[in-house]
Amino acid sequence: MGEILEINGPIVTVHLPGVLNGAQVSIGALDLIGEVIGLDGERAVVQVYESTESLRPGEKVEPLGHPLVAELGPGLLGQIFDGVQRPLASIFERSGAYLVRGLNLSPLDRQKTWTFAPAPDHKPGQRLEGGEVLGTVQETPSFVHRILVPPDLGGELLELAPAGDYTVDQVIARIRDRTGSPSELRLYHRWPVRTPRPYRRREAVGIPLITGQRILDTFFPLLKGGKAAIPGPFGAGKTMVQQQIARWSDADIVIYVGCGERGNELVDILETFPTLTDPYSGRPLMERTLLVANTSNMPVVAREASIYVGVTMGEYFRDQGYDVVVVADSTSRWAEALREVAGRLGQMPVEEGHPAYLASRLAAFYERAGCVETLAGKHGSVTLIGAVSPPGGDFSEPVTSHTKDIVQTFWALSKSLADMRHYPAVDWTASFSAYVGAAAPWWAVHADPNWAERRTKALELLTEADELAHVVNLVGPEALSPEQRWVLESAGLIREGVLQQSALDPVDSFCSPQKQFVLLDLILEIHRRGTRLLTLGVPVQQLLNIPLLGHAKRLKTGYGNDQIEALRQFATEIQNTFERFLQDYAQPPPASSAVTDGEQKP
Amino acid sequence: MTGKEYRMACAARGGLLFMRGVPGVALGGRVQVRDHRNHKRNGQVIRTSNDLILVQVFEGTENLGLDTTWVRFLDAPFEITLSPDLLGRVFSGIGQPRDHRPPLIAALKRNVNGAPMNPVARAYPREFIQTGISTIDCLNSLVRGQKLPLFSGSGLPHNRLAAQIVRQARLLGEAEGNFAVVFGAMGISHDDARFFQESFETSGVLRNVVMFINLADDPPIERLILPRTALTVAEYLAFDLNRHVLVVLSDMTHYAEALREVATAKGDVPARKGYPGYLYSDLAEIYERAGRIKERSGSITLIPVVSMPSDDITHPIPDLTGYITEGQIVLSRELHNRSLYPPINIPPSLSRLMKDGIGAAHTREDHPRIASQLYASYAHALEVRMLASIIGAEDLSESDRQYLNFADDFEQRFVNQAEDEDRSIIDTLTLAWDILSQLPPETLSRLTEADLARYHHWTPVAMEEL
């Protein structure tokens, strides 16, 4: 038992000899929970997860005997937790619209029973290692929750419960560990969130995470188990991009961590996701989604903890052999929470007030992404996507620049694109993906062998058009050659017909990899044929006036993902349109051109 | 302890009073400070230990002597008295009457710091508010429970615009009457305060207005508590009395400057431009109090005014505000200099909640697409205008000249409107189609074929008029 010495915002100095660094403590008459972040003799510095208003020096402090842990077991899915994994829906039922302090409910429902099916080949007496599957619980109609032996435990199985209904608190197995002491296992176990969960080994990443967003999947792919960042100034559409990823990505589980962001955005997810259908399982989207919400007005220390809670739950599902996407919105708010605590501790600031350990903490966090072979020999992945909110949209600020060093896929959002209502406002010049080569084989098999070539061609056109646009801004479009004006037009087609994608349009919101490729291919076909006509002397103005160009821009909304063949037929329309020109202009027909015109795609 | 007065100040600077040797004082507790002339000041404990206590004095620490200052710890948080009689009254930032009428007496008191709203308890805002201003209604629609700031600059008519929104805002198809206005003025001039007062009086809304005033020559530290007091009242009106509350806070820049002043005096580590690292969290505590709650009929819609120092939108105050609020209305000095009112700069303005508050169920079916089209066409027209300023309008293509014309017309007829002009959303949409009809239909790719067939009347402006 200790006592409070000083209160400075969320930082409380206590007299508590013998406490471990990182341990949790309960503070004051309200039982506020905090975490020791520094020791100095018999004093401990505690960061408190709730507002410290009305605390006074002299109040009691009690150690809880464990660090910040997450409860991992059936009942997580579809839930919304705060930054230290308190169940917000239960808190709402208990205490109403506003969060009251000192209400410490368990994350998992203690009353609810789950139907447990023990793994058939486990027999008493057999050795079980940490991370092995004890049995399963059918958590939702589409999701099998595998009950794991806690990774830090293992030994001889003494007893395994028969199939039946159990609450998370009931013992389902007993194990005698190496030292001979017996342990009771339940449907859930706890894991300290700041420690990465162990796995057998890392595997190479190689399968793209399909998000259904053309600019992301086709142009700057992310792989399952990879790490990506979405930096962008306010108003550039970060939230929209992340929600699209949460909606459409082909992962088994999506964990959305709202870290210091707007309350209404989470409400949007809470209200819309249950009504949306998971495109892969056909079940309500909320059944594969898990929210961690520490909105900007909630206490800042719990915000710092929230991304660790989120990624720990992600690793837990990974260890069951699933592909998990963890979206952290936003890592800048997390860094600010770190900065606020560091500032209150009087630590020396380095860049823009951020502490010196910012870069190492960020890197360690992103390293928790990966494809692994789990302790049970299964294959699972955690893909980490972090939003970054650079102050003033300045990508050279510390959080963005450190993040850029760490991630492999960088989806840079641009304010000027957003101002033109070009969504998703992913800037094709500032973004990058180091996974293009690794993704190409998958695309070659699942979409088209020419994927890599088309992608490169489109990016070249876009880049060339950007340069030409500078010239136009100086001297006007008349100064360009016909070929250059056609490049500008084609890039415009790519922008409007491929890159722009409406999240609100029911047809266009999700674009299958096949449709992504065909759309791009068709538009490049228009470019190729137009370029040929120009060489034959067709005036560029005539090409620019073809109504076909307008139609090409609307193809994305005109054909659904199940109408790929019909969409491919548009190639015929392109062919007919351009051949009509050819007939008009190629007279007297040079024999060769008429022949080359026959080189059609089958 | 509440009865005792302590005379143990050991330092006073920058609005902070440092006290030694008063044990067991609670954080956030209210404090009464009595100076050598027996004048009372109000304060709050912002840091506490048995050795040293920091008290933030809202009236400032000017003219305080260390030996002649008496401090009483009231052992209660900062609270405001709440009753329906608040309406029509004027208070200071700490809730003392400024209208020469007696203080309120009621049993209900609440801590001005409030408590964070549980995200699960929120109801998503989706009820369209008609402000009668085309650029807001059509392009940056406001919905009930939204927080939508006005980003402005010195000398721009943000106060006139805010007052117009207050006068004209109403829900489509609903009788008025159930609304209330909470107006928080931080560091604004006497003239601006009078302007608001008169504007509320002439439009007859004054009896539904609660004002919290801290003028430019009032003590700045009080601005730290003013928005919290104002929003506590707004929460009471909205969620206890079921009113639809429109909160105008002008000007948040002065609030943030007061915060910086105290942070500097406390010795906090500065982050950007001397503002403390917790500015984001602090602003969020204020802004996030807007919203709606499930199964309650009231709402808080928040319109903070943020003046951008040197018109710089990347300055920490507008920047952090933009990351918290659900969009922003940006005013433009260029449009203002061209005598356009309201000078709303279209490209950077945005309403994030608009997508769910417009369309067939709320305004009209074509609204989302026409807004998107106007944005896209105007963005292109601005590019053309820039080009024309370089190569001259004569060298533009015919299509470019159509866009040039479109931009002028859009600004003069759509953006520009009188301060007392209250356009219905249908009038605004009709006007939008009228102006878009100057552009050939095939360039309007954000609209559907059906929209074009129904509303677009392609009337190319004759070339001699150009």
Side-chain angles (χ1 to χ4, degrees):
Chain A
M1 188 82 119
E3 67 165 318
I4 298 180
L5 299 175
E6 188 189 355
I7 305 145
N8 177 14
I11 302 300
V12 175
T13 311
V14 301
H15 179 261
L16 193 64
V19 70
L20 295 181
N21 210 352
Q24 285 197 307
V25 292
S26 157
I27 286 193
L30 282 169
D31 278 332
L32 306 181
I33 306 294
E35 178 180 359
V36 176
I37 53 170
L39 296 172
D40 179 12
E42 299 199 327
R43 292 165 162 236
V45 180
V46 177
Q47 55 176 5
V48 184
Y49 303 134
E50 295 183 87
S51 162
T52 53
E53 188 177 339
S54 80
L55 279 190
R56 54 183 87 229
E59 286 190 60
K60 55 127 191 152
V61 178
E62 278 177 273
L64 296 179
H66 58 78
L68 173 59
V69 290
E71 278 192 3
L72 305 166
L76 289 174
L77 293 179
Q79 285 278 358
I80 173 166
F81 297 106
D82 82 348
V84 288
Q85 217 202 9
R86 281 178 293 206
L88 285 169
S90 312
I91 290 181
F92 174 52
E93 282 166 23
R94 196 71 89 75
S95 75
Y98 291 93
L99 295 169
V100 296
R101 293 185 290 164
L103 190 60
N104 299 310
L105 301 180
S106 351
L108 296 173
D109 191 336
R110 290 294 188 267
Q111 316 301 329
K112 186 163 176 149
T113 57
W114 301 95
T115 308
F116 171 70
D121 44 352
H122 288 337
K123 299 281 173 293
Q126 139 187 31
R127 277 201 65 78
L128 274 185
E129 297 305 326
E132 279 195 61
V133 181
L134 278 173
T136 56
V137 163
Q138 189 78 36
E139 184 167 351
T140 72
S142 60
F143 187 78
V144 177
H145 197 118
R146 302 194 174 102
I147 307 300
L148 305 178
V149 179
D152 52 356
L153 216 70
E156 184 194 343
L157 180 66
L158 299 176
E159 186 189 350
L160 182 61
D165 291 356
Y166 300 90
T167 66
V168 291
D169 260 342
Q170 281 177 297
V171 176
I172 52 150
R174 279 176 229 280
I175 270 187
R176 181 159 48 215
D177 69 12
R178 287 173 193 81
T179 63
S181 59
S183 304
E184 294 181 333
L185 304 186
R186 296 174 167 77
L187 285 179
Y188 79 99
H189 64 265
R190 294 201 172 99
W191 188 260
V193 300
R194 296 184 197 277
T195 312
R197 286 173 64 92
Y199 43 82
R200 202 175 280 168
R201 62 184 186 87
R202 287 226 173 206
E203 296 178 331
V205 290
I207 297 171
L209 179 81
I210 297 302
T211 65
Q213 311 305 304
R214 291 182 287 268
I215 179 86
L216 308 187
D217 294 351
T218 298
F219 288 88
F220 304 103
L222 172 62
L223 301 184
K224 284 179 180 164
K227 35 199 176 182
I230 312 179
F234 65 83
K238 264 196 308 299
T239 308
M240 218 46 190
V241 172
Q242 291 179 92
Q243 290 195 2
Q244 285 295 88
I245 292 171
R247 269 175 77 170
W248 297 119
S249 54
D250 61 340
D252 300 306
I253 302 285
V254 174
I255 298 179
Y256 190 95
V257 185
C259 171
E261 288 293 312
R262 305 175 182 88
N264 278 333
E265 286 175 0
L266 288 154
V267 181
D268 193 12
I269 296 180
L270 278 177
E271 288 192 2
T272 54
F273 274 33
T275 67
L276 296 172
T277 310
D278 176 356
Y280 304 95
S281 73
R283 299 287 309 165
L285 202 52
M286 204 59 200
E287 285 185 3
R288 68 159 201 186
T289 311
L290 204 165
L291 300 176
V292 178
N294 219 85
T295 56
S296 56
N297 55 334
M298 287 160 76
V300 67
V301 174
R303 187 191 301 168
E304 192 269 336
S306 65
I307 65 166
Y308 294 106
V309 167
V311 79
T312 302
M313 293 192 284
E315 287 175 343
Y316 172 65
F317 287 111
R318 174 202 72 190
D319 291 348
Q320 296 175 38
Y322 291 111
D323 290 321
V324 184
V325 171
V326 178
V327 177
D329 180 16
S330 126
T331 55
S332 294
R333 304 300 162 224
W334 167 82
E336 277 169 15
L338 209 62
R339 172 171 75 183
E340 180 168 343
V341 170
R344 299 228 187 227
L345 296 177
Q347 289 168 344
M348 181 67 84
V350 286
E351 295 164 292
E352 298 196 4
H354 287 290
Y357 46 79
L358 170 70
S360 58
R361 292 263 177 106
L362 262 178
F365 168 68
Y366 276 105
E367 268 319 298
R368 293 179 76 167
C371 261
V372 304
E373 185 186 331
T374 68
L375 294 177
K378 294 183 176 299
H379 303 279
S381 68
V382 170
T383 311
L384 266 182
I385 300 172
V388 186
S389 320
D394 170 15
F395 283 9
S396 68
E397 61 90 37
V399 181
T400 318
S401 58
H402 290 312
T403 305
K404 202 171 176 177
D405 280 349
I406 298 163
V407 299
Q408 303 287 310
T409 298
F410 191 72
W411 294 318
L413 300 186
S414 142
K415 181 83 177 122
S416 58
L417 287 176
D419 282 354
M420 286 187 273
R421 298 306 187 259
H422 173 114
Y423 291 126
V426 178
D427 183 341
W428 48 89
T429 47
S431 301
F432 63 79
S433 167
Y435 295 129
V436 178
W442 186 93
W443 280 90
V445 173
H446 292 87
D448 194 285
N450 292 316
W451 174 79
E453 185 265 326
R454 297 289 194 279
R455 176 188 172 277
T456 313
K457 176 72 190 161
L459 276 178
E460 277 170 11
L461 273 176
L462 288 166
T463 316
E464 192 182 348
D466 284 346
E467 282 163 18
L468 294 175
H470 289 301
V471 179
V472 173
N473 280 340
L474 289 176
V475 290
E478 305 301 331
L480 297 183
S481 71
E483 285 77 11
Q484 288 173 324
R485 293 194 63 179
W486 184 239
V487 166
L488 268 186
E489 181 65 24
S490 305
L493 278 179
I494 297 176
R495 280 206 299 272
E496 287 190 50
V498 180
L499 301 187
Q500 281 181 16
Q501 189 171 354
S502 166
L504 306 176
D505 185 292
V507 176
D508 201 29
S509 189
F510 174 82
C511 186
S512 70
Q514 292 75 21
K515 184 177 160 192
Q516 297 191 20
F517 177 80
V518 175
L519 271 179
L520 183 64
D521 194 40
L522 288 172
I523 282 175
L524 289 174
E525 176 72 5
I526 294 178
H527 172 73
R528 193 183 64 82
R529 285 180 171 273
T531 314
R532 277 219 10 252
L533 288 186
L534 290 177
T535 59
L536 295 177
V538 178
V540 68
Q541 200 58 46
Q542 293 242 5
L543 288 184
L544 299 183
N545 289 338
I546 313 178
L548 180 89
L549 303 184
H551 296 153
K553 290 176 189 170
R554 288 176 220 254
L555 288 175
K556 57 184 181 183
T557 52
Y559 296 87
N561 294 312
D562 49 355
Q563 296 169 292
I564 301 295
E565 277 318 306
L567 180 59
R568 279 191 214 276
Q569 292 310 310
F570 192 74
T572 322
E573 202 167 318
I574 298 175
Q575 180 183 354
N576 294 341
T577 309
F578 282 86
E579 278 193 358
R580 236 171 283 136
F581 270 101
L582 208 59
Q583 282 155 14
D584 294 349
Y585 274 87
Q587 287 161 4
S592 60
S593 86
V595 174
T596 50
D597 194 58
E599 54 157 69
Q600 265 315 306
K601 282 190 10 167
Chain B
M1 189 173 67
T2 51
K4 269 196 214 162
E5 274 194 323
Y6 293 87
R7 200 190 60 177
M8 288 164 171
C10 63
R13 58 164 186 264
L16 296 181
L17 194 63
F18 296 69
M19 305 282 298
R20 271 208 193 286
V22 191
V25 172
L27 187 77
R30 191 168 183 167
V31 169
Q32 205 169 63
V33 179
R34 190 162 58 84
D35 65 18
H36 60 283
R37 286 178 304 175
N38 228 3
H39 289 177
K40 284 188 181 144
R41 305 186 191 194
N42 294 277
Q44 192 173 18
V45 178
I46 57 171
R47 185 169 174 171
T48 171
S49 69
N50 283 336
D51 310 326
L52 185 72
I53 291 164
L54 253 69
V55 176
Q56 168 175 291
V57 183
F58 293 117
E59 289 84 349
T61 47
E62 296 296 301
N63 283 321
L64 284 185
L66 295 183
D67 297 333
T68 52
T69 297
W70 294 84
V71 176
R72 189 195 298 265
F73 294 93
L74 300 179
D75 211 17
F78 228 100
E79 290 179 325
I80 181 159
T81 310
L82 298 166
S83 98
D85 299 335
L86 282 162
L87 290 164
R89 299 289 308 268
V90 184
F91 301 94
S92 73
I94 53 171
Q96 291 172 336
R98 273 186 82 124
D99 51 5
H100 311 293
R101 287 160 63 188
L104 287 183
I105 298 170
L108 184 62
K109 288 190 169 71
R110 281 206 189 124
N111 186 336
V112 298
N113 281 336
M117 202 187 278
N118 188 334
V120 174
R122 285 183 186 271
Y124 195 67
R126 51 178 97 241
E127 292 169 294
F128 175 80
I129 297 180
Q130 179 177 297
T131 65
I133 297 162
S134 294
T135 35
I136 296 179
D137 289 351
C138 177
L139 298 174
N140 300 289
S141 316
L142 179 68
V143 295
R144 266 189 185 160
Q146 186 173 15
K147 36 194 184 293
L148 189 65
L150 298 180
F151 283 4
S152 183
S154 40
L156 295 181
H158 44 263
N159 286 335
R160 280 159 60 199
L161 179 59
Q164 188 176 3
I165 294 173
V166 168
R167 282 196 312 270
Q168 297 181 174
R170 63 187 181 83
L171 210 64
L172 277 183
E174 187 173 285
E176 50 187 290
N178 206 20
F179 78 101
V181 176
V182 173
F183 177 68
M186 288 162 283
I188 68 170
S189 68
H190 285 261
D191 294 341
D192 286 337
R194 191 175 325 110
F195 164 78
F196 273 107
Q197 182 118 26
E198 282 169 3
S199 162
F200 296 150
E201 267 169 30
T202 51
S203 57
V205 297
L206 195 59
R207 64 176 191 288
N208 287 318
V209 179
V210 190
M211 293 172 97
F212 293 88
I213 305 271
N214 172 282
L215 296 174
D217 53 357
D218 287 329
I221 314 290
E222 195 187 290
R223 291 167 203 163
L224 292 180
I225 201 137
L226 187 143
R228 294 180 164 82
T229 317
L231 283 159
T232 306
V233 168
E235 283 171 354
Y236 166 73
L237 293 172
F239 303 127
D240 288 41
L241 302 186
N242 298 325
R243 299 262 191 155
H244 291 290
V245 187
L246 190 63
V247 182
V248 176
L249 296 174
S250 179
D251 167 334
M252 287 306 289
T253 302
H254 299 308
Y255 169 83
E257 280 163 358
L259 190 73
R260 175 168 67 176
E261 192 176 327
V262 171
T264 321
K266 267 198 297 184
D268 289 336
V269 176
R272 283 170 71 213
K273 300 210 173 183
Y275 290 94
Y278 50 82
L279 179 61
Y280 175 84
S281 308
D282 192 276
L283 288 174
E285 277 175 20
I286 295 173
Y287 295 141
E288 281 282 331
R289 288 173 81 168
R292 306 208 52 176
I293 296 183
K294 275 180 195 156
E295 287 158 26
R296 305 219 194 150
S297 65
S299 64
I300 299 178
T301 310
L302 178 60
I303 302 189
V305 173
V306 179
S307 60
M308 303 181 280
S310 329
D311 294 351
D312 176 11
I313 198 167
T314 67
H315 185 280
I317 303 168
D319 188 51
L320 295 179
T321 298
Y323 275 120
I324 305 165
T325 55
E326 284 130 356
Q328 64 278 337
I329 303 285
V330 185
L331 301 192
S332 145
R333 195 167 295 282
E334 191 226 325
L335 293 180
H336 180 62
N337 290 345
R338 283 164 49 202
S339 304
L340 294 171
Y341 174 89
I344 293 177
N345 193 1
I346 302 298
S349 297
L350 170 75
S351 165
R352 293 168 186 274
L353 299 185
M354 157 168 188
K355 63 180 167 54
D356 294 302
I358 61 172
H362 305 275
T363 55
R364 205 170 76 181
E365 196 269 331
D366 57 320
H367 187 166
R369 293 181 300 280
I370 193 146
S372 171
Q373 184 63 60
L374 276 177
Y375 262 108
S377 298
Y378 185 58
H380 180 69
L382 289 181
E383 280 176 17
V384 172
R385 185 184 277 170
M386 195 140 81
L387 182 62
S389 70
I390 297 164
I391 63 169
E394 297 73 27
D395 288 342
L396 291 178
S397 68
E398 187 189 327
S399 125
D400 280 352
R401 267 184 286 179
Q402 282 166 350
Y403 270 96
L404 211 51
N405 240 32
F406 161 80
D408 291 341
D409 213 39
F410 175 75
E411 286 165 1
Q412 292 297 338
R413 290 168 59 204
F414 191 84
V415 175
N416 195 27
Q417 70 183 85
E419 224 175 306
D420 56 358
E421 190 179 349
D422 190 354
R423 291 182 192 156
S424 79
I425 178 66
I426 299 300
D427 287 350
T428 291
L429 291 177
T430 309
L431 184 60
W433 274 109
D434 205 28
I435 293 167
L436 270 181
S437 293
Q438 299 177 22
L439 297 176
E442 58 270 16
T443 63
L444 306 177
S445 64
R446 310 271 172 119
L447 296 163
T448 63
E449 307 281 352
D451 292 335
L452 291 169
R454 181 153 181 207
Y455 298 108
H456 194 263
H457 40 277
W458 167 227
T459 45
V461 181
M463 286 324 270
E464 55 267 28
E465 283 181 38
L466 291 174

